């Protein structure tokens, strides 16, 4: 339910953090598949990890051109 509402998940290791913990598979260069939002089903490559914001930047191919799109961790999965 928290994922659907977009509410932050508290990281138990820090206690006071409002950003979700970084998944282990979110490294630059890793291939991911979009599971939520307008680009659902598209595959891309992680270009940047913004751990302080709980987001990653993924390069997708849209109409044959590369485009960088920001996603929250829950919106993508390892491809």
């Amino acid at each position: 339910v928290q994922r659907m509402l977009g509410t932050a998940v508290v990281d138990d290791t820090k206690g006071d953090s409002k950003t979700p913990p970084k998944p282990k598979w979110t490294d630059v260069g890793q291939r991911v598949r979009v599971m939520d939002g307008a680009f659902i089903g598209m595959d891309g490559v992680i270009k940047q990890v913004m751990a302080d914001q709980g987001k990653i930047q993924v390069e997708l191919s849209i109409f044959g051109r590369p485009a960088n799109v920001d996603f929250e961790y829950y919106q993508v999965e390892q491809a």
Side-chain angles (χ1 to χ4, degrees):
V1 172
Q2 289 179 347
R3 188 176 90 183
M4 292 174 63
L5 295 175
T7 57
V9 176
V10 176
D11 183 0
D12 292 334
T13 59
K14 296 180 185 172
D16 61 347
S17 177
K18 295 189 190 252
T19 58
K22 177 184 171 236
K24 295 178 182 177
W25 50 265
T26 54
D27 295 320
V28 174
Q30 182 72 39
R31 293 200 56 80
V32 293
R33 177 170 294 119
V34 180
M35 299 305 296
D36 185 41
F39 302 104
I40 192 166
M42 296 183 77
D43 290 343
V45 176
I46 297 176
K47 291 296 179 182
Q48 183 181 7
V49 178
M50 299 168 277
D52 58 328
Q53 299 174 16
K55 296 182 179 185
I56 57 175
Q57 188 174 76
V58 178
E59 183 179 89
L60 301 174
S61 178
I62 301 173
F63 299 118
R65 294 181 171 241
N68 291 333
V69 182
D70 293 347
F71 293 102
E72 295 198 24
Y73 295 143
Y74 75 87
Q75 292 181 294
V76 297
E77 71 175 9
Q78 187 175 13

